[in-house]
Amino acid sequence: ALSVSENPGQTYNPLFIYGGVGLGKTHLLHAIGQKCRDDGYEVLYISSETFTNDLVQSIRNKTMAEFREHYRTTDVLMIDDIQFIAGKESTQEELFHTFNELHSHGKQVVISSDRIPRAMVTLEERLQSRFEWGLMADIQLPDIETRKAILQSKAYTLGVDVPDDVTELIAHRVRRNIRELEGALNKVMAYAQLTGRPVDMDIVDMALSDLVRQPDKLTIDQVISAVCKFYNVTEEALFSSSRSRTISYPRQIAMFLSRTETDASLPQIGTKLGNRDHTTILYGYEKIAKEVERDSSIRRDTMEIKAVLYESNSVYA
């Protein structure tokens, strides 16, 4: 990113940055753009959705000449979340020609995505090959030491003294992305301010109960046991061929929670739940997943069962 910002169009062109959500792709694009703009280059930063919307407006208003002038005369073009153009033929066509025009004139193109080009199954092959011309840079999940350093830096910026054992705990429990990591720290700070208490392990336990109490993964047996207890049914009944609502519904809840809260595969879940086919498990999971979205009582049931599961399996229990 630094090399590109110091020599736009000369080193890695295009620079294709990919990685999961909340890992800093957009931050990197803005940093490149800021450095280039400070050095006198004309910079254009957009999301792929903006590019598509501008194209549609230009076609509708018959202003394609202005559209092309806008996008093809900048020194640095940065497009965020390029994965959303996959499947959009007109957008891909226009981007292809825009890319060629800029690249042939030595202008810099920087692109971000949540996946590599060849993983975008509906992305045209000619665009895919051009995205791979320069350098593809993968942003990995931060390791434990990096997560701790981020938390310490954030705490310093906020002017708050956070003990090492607290940053250690948060860093261990929040692993997926930096946005979630900073959000966890902000929540701890808010709880401390609201209660007038110091930032310690107790306040972390209170603020992040949904995180600090959650083990890495549950087992299918734990899920089945909790579901049976919650709905007052026996495991034998759950494993049986009964289609009674009082049995089939808890069974599907068990399918759903086994799928979302454990590492088990569909066949493994099927084996545990009475040697059922994996397609049956998938159907049960999808049915409950839809109902959880629209039925508050079902959503409450699943949340209560999860609370019991994580509470009983907590490292602090």
Side-chain angles (χ1 to χ4, degrees), residues 214-265:
Q214 181 173 331
D216 288 344
K217 278 296 175 182
L218 299 167
T219 67
I220 304 174
D221 288 335
Q222 289 171 324
V223 170
I224 290 171
S225 176
V227 169
C228 287
K229 187 174 182 180
F230 187 83
Y231 292 107
N232 195 28
V233 298
T234 65
E235 292 190 8
E236 290 74 22
L238 208 68
F239 301 157
S240 73
S241 58
S242 172
R243 295 190 178 183
S244 165
R245 167 75 178 172
T246 56
I247 302 299
S248 63
Y249 174 68
R251 185 188 296 132
Q252 289 175 335
I253 291 290
M255 294 174 185
F256 172 78
L257 292 174
S258 294
R259 182 65 172 158
T260 60
E261 308 303 315
T262 79
D263 283 327
S265 64

Side-chain angles (χ1 to χ4, degrees), residues 66-81:
E66 288 86 342
F67 173 88
R68 287 166 181 156
E69 174 75 14
H70 178 63
Y71 281 103
R72 299 183 187 184
T73 57
T74 188
D75 295 317
V76 180
L77 175 64
M78 298 188 292
I79 306 178
D80 212 352
D81 289 326

Side-chain angles (χ1 to χ4, degrees), residues 99-117:
F99 180 95
N100 283 347
E101 182 73 14
L102 290 170
H103 196 276
S104 65
H105 287 88
K107 306 300 184 181
Q108 180 69 49
V109 178
V110 184
I111 298 166
S112 83
S113 173
D114 65 354
R115 70 202 74 168
I116 57 176

Side-chain angles (χ1 to χ4, degrees), residues 80-287:
D80 212 352
D81 289 326
I82 199 71
Q83 70 270 10
F84 293 121
I85 71 163
K88 298 175 180 176
E89 294 181 11
S90 296
T91 300
Q92 292 189 50
E93 175 78 19
E94 195 58 40
L95 182 58
F96 173 76
H97 295 298
T98 298
F99 180 95
N100 283 347
E101 182 73 14
L102 290 170
H103 196 276
S104 65
H105 287 88
K107 306 300 184 181
Q108 180 69 49
V109 178
V110 184
I111 298 166
S112 83
S113 173
D114 65 354
R115 70 202 74 168
I116 57 176
R118 61 177 172 271
M120 299 180 218
V121 292
T122 53
L123 182 69
E124 292 181 3
E125 189 174 342
R126 57 181 180 171
L127 266 180
Q128 178 183 314
S129 68
R130 277 160 178 76
F131 290 166
E132 295 174 348
W133 271 357
L135 175 70
M136 292 198 297
D138 177 15
I139 302 184
Q140 299 281 351
L141 292 171
D143 59 23
I144 181 67
E145 294 304 323
T146 304
R147 296 199 298 274
K148 286 169 60 179
I150 290 169
L151 288 169
Q152 290 162 355
S153 175
K154 182 75 172 178
Y156 178 80
T157 302
L158 294 172
V160 179
D161 180 34
V162 180
D164 287 344
D165 58 350
V166 170
T167 57
E168 180 90 22
L169 176 59
I170 299 174
H172 268 99
R173 288 300 170 184
V174 184
R175 306 174 183 181
R176 287 181 293 185
N177 64 63
I178 300 164
R179 192 177 299 143
E180 186 178 318
L181 189 69
E182 293 189 347
L185 181 62
N186 287 336
K187 191 173 180 182
V188 170
M189 297 296 104
Y191 267 69
Q193 290 171 4
L194 287 168
T195 59
R197 295 169 57 180
V199 178
D200 55 21
M201 299 292 275
D202 288 338
I203 206 73
V204 174
D205 192 19
M206 184 189 305
L208 305 180
S209 58
D210 55 333
L211 293 175
V212 300
R213 292 185 182 279
Q214 181 173 331
D216 288 344
K217 278 296 175 182
L218 299 167
T219 67
I220 304 174
D221 288 335
Q222 289 171 324
V223 170
I224 290 171
S225 176
V227 169
C228 287
K229 187 174 182 180
F230 187 83
Y231 292 107
N232 195 28
V233 298
T234 65
E235 292 190 8
E236 290 74 22
L238 208 68
F239 301 157
S240 73
S241 58
S242 172
R243 295 190 178 183
S244 165
R245 167 75 178 172
T246 56
I247 302 299
S248 63
Y249 174 68
R251 185 188 296 132
Q252 289 175 335
I253 291 290
M255 294 174 185
F256 172 78
L257 292 174
S258 294
R259 182 65 172 158
T260 60
E261 308 303 315
T262 79
D263 283 327
S265 64
L266 293 173
Q268 288 172 328
I269 298 170
T271 299
K272 285 284 187 179
L273 286 169
N275 289 316
R276 285 177 160 79
D277 187 79
H278 75 278
T279 56
T280 303
I281 304 301
L282 183 59
Y283 171 81
Y285 160 76
E286 290 178 341
K287 181 181 178 182

